Amino acid sequence: MNNTTLSRAVALALLVASGSALAITNDENNANLPFSFSNPGARSLAMGGAFLGAADDATAAYTNPAGLTRLGLEQQVSLELRRNEYSTRYASGGSFTTAPFDPSGVGYSRADDDTDEVSFVSWVLPRDRWAIALYRHQFLNYENAYQTNPIGFTLPNGDVFATRGFRAAADLEIVNWGASFAYNLTDTLSFGIGVSYYDFEMASVTERFDVNFDDLSNLPDVRNAQAQFGDDSDYGYNIGLLYRGSDRFSIGLSYRSAPKFDYRAVNILNNESGPIVFNDRITAFEAPDMFGVGFSWRVTDRLMLNLDVNRINYSNLSDPVDDAFFGGDFAEFSDPLVLSRIKADSVWETRLGGEYVIDSLRFPVSLRAGVWREEAHKLTFVGDPDSPSFEGSETPYANAVLFFPGEDETHLSVGFGVAFPRFQLDFAYDDSDSRDTMSLSGVFRF
């Protein structure tokens, strides 16, 4: 057997525990990155994140910088603490059939994890027609860890396969440091612009086991592993407009650009004769950018209603998808057709919320509630693995199961705030099937 033939045989055996071959084209750790475009601040979160048209507190520095001119003439310092509880769904084992493709025999489990963080800090200096702000925002903070069994299937020609069981762990953090400036162009129209410095850290490992196993307490040896790691930075910007049609109605527009980072992806086989590096490349991670329009209507002196409609370009994450397994001298084993079918969809998000102020108390209390719809945006294998385009290949079947479609979710949020002469304290809770968020924030004016 010559070296090329030997390399091909070993490479195709990396990810399959059977007598045949299979290559999974991307690292499953990337399938469920929980980006959230809820605006910072407990006040906004309690109203379902609908805040672009109001933008009337210190979080406007990030949400819609044009709103910074609506804060009066007192300086403000704000601080937010958040707790995020994640529940990540993954394919945990079982089997499925082909021709026709039917994944109903695959079992799915959830990996639960949580993070606590200082999610937002800002300082705002407002003046008569202009304002400036400095802030720090936790753009993303995600950790998870889980473990799977093999998933078996049979091709129409009778060949039997099973994806290797694996254990995965991921840690991804993006922090945004920004400065914003706002100016009143007219008495009814203000403009805002901000510049951001993003710091990116990523560390994930997926370890695939040597043989099939059913007892998770008796793990076999690790056969090969994919690692993704990097520490990078990039600059971005945000712009906003705010039109005040009257004291009771305003419209806001906001756009936030997407930072792009580089990180290293490595795939190593633990072979009897020593480790073999099948992939060692620098690849790109482009976060989603966002455009939104918001409406704020002060129905009465006590009641305000907000509506935001956002376009989130999650497709940035998969344009294109790199092969996590094969590169360099082994790039010929990559399957561009399968890679092109792994996509994240850009989505529309609608957010609706309201605030009612009880001002008859010594310290006014605000009651808030909101609802918003989060459309599925995880990395998904798009297409029919039974298609003749993939005839004879086991790879699309494995990807269709491991990169399964996500589910739309409805978020419900509630919260309250108490306003003191120079200090405001707010609390919020946002609930959904895959993520719960609790927020405590405060604003001090001086």
Side-chain angles (χ1 to χ4, degrees), residues 228-247:
Q228 300 177 118
F229 53 94
D231 187 347
D232 199 10
S233 60
D234 193 17
Y235 290 92
Y237 66 91
N238 62 325
I239 56 175
L241 288 172
L242 192 65
Y243 172 73
R244 297 178 292 277
S246 68
D247 291 338

Side-chain angles (χ1 to χ4, degrees), residues 28-344:
E28 300 91 317
N29 249 334
N30 296 338
N32 289 286
L33 297 178
F35 277 97
S36 172
F37 281 81
S38 290
N39 296 315
R43 180 170 175 238
S44 171
L45 182 69
M47 293 188 287
F51 202 60
L52 294 177
D56 57 357
D57 65 27
T59 62
Y62 173 80
T63 304
N64 182 357
L68 293 172
T69 59
R70 304 185 67 180
L71 307 189
L73 297 177
E74 294 180 313
Q75 296 185 53
Q76 296 190 15
V77 175
S78 69
L79 173 70
E80 181 188 16
L81 307 176
R82 278 200 182 190
R83 178 179 178 83
N84 294 295
E85 298 179 350
Y86 302 105
S87 182
T88 303
R89 189 167 178 256
Y90 63 93
S92 57
S95 63
F96 63 91
T97 61
T98 63
F101 174 64
D102 180 6
S104 60
V106 177
Y108 293 90
S109 300
R110 287 187 176 273
D112 297 327
D113 215 322
D114 56 73
T115 59
D116 298 295
E117 61 199 38
V118 177
S119 61
F120 189 77
V121 180
S122 70
W123 167 76
V124 183
L125 175 65
R127 286 297 180 258
D128 186 30
R129 297 189 62 86
W130 57 269
I132 58 173
L134 303 175
Y135 68 90
R136 175 197 181 275
H137 176 234
Q138 187 80 52
F139 186 67
L140 177 65
N141 187 12
Y142 176 61
E143 299 176 7
N144 79 351
Y146 60 93
Q147 187 168 275
T148 77
N149 281 303
I151 302 174
F153 62 101
T154 303
L155 289 183
N157 63 11
D159 289 344
V160 178
F161 295 87
T163 63
R164 291 185 181 274
F166 65 89
R167 58 187 170 206
D171 189 348
L172 176 60
E173 183 176 13
I174 303 175
V175 176
N176 171 22
W177 303 82
S180 299
F181 172 78
Y183 184 76
N184 283 334
L185 300 174
T186 69
D187 290 339
T188 59
L189 182 65
S190 58
F191 168 78
I193 187 169
V195 178
S196 298
Y197 172 82
Y198 290 90
D199 185 58
F200 166 89
E201 293 183 16
M202 181 180 192
S204 75
V205 177
T206 305
E207 298 175 305
R208 303 182 191 273
F209 301 112
D210 196 24
V211 295
N212 288 334
F213 63 95
D214 298 316
D215 181 4
L216 296 181
S217 65
N218 185 24
L219 298 180
D221 294 333
V222 173
R223 180 60 168 169
N224 86 298
Q226 295 78 51
Q228 300 177 118
F229 53 94
D231 187 347
D232 199 10
S233 60
D234 193 17
Y235 290 92
Y237 66 91
N238 62 325
I239 56 175
L241 288 172
L242 192 65
Y243 172 73
R244 297 178 292 277
S246 68
D247 291 338
R248 294 193 177 274
F249 183 75
S250 57
I251 303 174
L253 298 175
S254 178
Y255 172 77
R256 288 195 289 272
S257 67
K260 186 175 182 179
F261 312 103
D262 290 335
Y263 68 95
R264 186 178 176 187
V266 179
N267 178 29
I268 298 177
L269 169 71
N270 295 321
N271 197 30
E272 292 180 357
S273 59
I276 300 176
V277 178
F278 282 88
N279 187 37
D280 188 349
R281 67 170 58 175
I282 301 298
T283 189
F285 182 106
E286 184 173 3
D289 57 347
M290 190 217 79
F291 171 79
V293 56
F295 306 88
S296 183
W297 178 32
R298 189 165 291 281
V299 184
T300 69
D301 291 340
R302 297 180 177 180
L303 177 63
M304 178 177 66
L305 297 178
N306 294 334
L307 172 67
D308 283 6
V309 179
N310 300 325
R311 177 66 172 178
I312 315 294
N313 291 323
Y314 288 110
S315 59
N316 291 357
L317 296 169
S318 60
D319 187 21
V321 170
D322 276 341
D323 196 325
F325 303 97
F326 300 109
D329 294 338
F330 299 93
E332 63 183 286
F333 303 126
S334 183
D335 191 334
L337 182 59
V338 172
L339 283 172
S340 69
R341 296 294 192 270
I342 301 174
K343 297 182 178 295

